[in-house]
Amino acid sequence: MRPVVAGDGSAHHHHQDNVHGHCKSCGHAHAPSPQVIAAASSARELASVILAIAIRPCSGAILLLVLTWKMGILEAGIAGAFAMASGTASLTLLVAFMGRFLRGGVLSVFAESRIAHVIGATLEIAAGVTVVLLSGGALGLV
């Protein structure tokens, strides 16, 4: 590994081209490689791969904790970080459930229906407009 010196034209890029999942420029693994995930066969190995991915702290939670610590209300920050984690976990589980169970069942009935596509597009546009209006209201623009 050679050090990066300012002005030498090199840059620190993160490309994982080798089979071990280690970055060629810095030498560490940024995430488990597809080969590592595919090689995991037992529940213990799969749990360790999931833990390796999930252990990275949320930058928003760290910011929240630092701010509330400096404000003297660390307990509120801890509760907020748990609320953020619970919300993220709930949404992830909901999306995983919907992707696994609803995709092949209920939604396949409407896959060929033109009205379903129109309703879906209308719901997406309505959700987008709602987000814009709520954001504008929070900023005092609407």
Side-chain angles (χ1 to χ4, degrees):
M1 215 167 89
R2 73 178 170 86
V4 176
V5 180
D8 72 349
S10 64
H12 184 92
H13 297 289
H14 290 108
H15 300 289
Q16 294 178 327
D17 295 329
N18 62 359
V19 294
H20 301 295
H22 291 87
C23 179
K24 288 182 179 180
S25 60
C26 64
H28 68 276
H30 296 274
S33 68
Q35 292 82 6
V36 170
I37 295 171
S41 57
S42 70
R44 183 175 180 175
E45 289 174 347
L46 288 172
S48 66
V49 168
I50 292 169
L51 182 63
I53 294 169
I55 200 158
R56 185 191 67 80
C58 171
S59 55
I62 291 174
L63 179 65
L64 177 70
L65 291 170
V66 169
L67 290 175
T68 55
W69 170 55
K70 287 306 218 177
M71 294 171 68
I73 51 173
L74 182 59
E75 295 80 13
I78 292 170
F82 273 105
M84 291 167 65
S86 298
T88 301
S90 299
L91 183 62
T92 302
L93 288 172
L94 178 66
V95 169
F97 175 79
M98 289 174 55
R100 172 66 175 97
F101 295 110
L102 296 181
R103 187 67 143 168
V106 176
L107 296 179
S108 65
V109 173
F110 300 110
E112 300 298 322
S113 171
R114 174 134 174 85
I115 190 85
H117 290 286
V118 171
I119 291 172
T122 304
L123 288 174
E124 289 176 7
I125 291 170
V129 169
T130 302
V131 168
V132 168
L133 291 175
L134 289 174
S135 300
L139 294 172
L141 301 174
V142 178

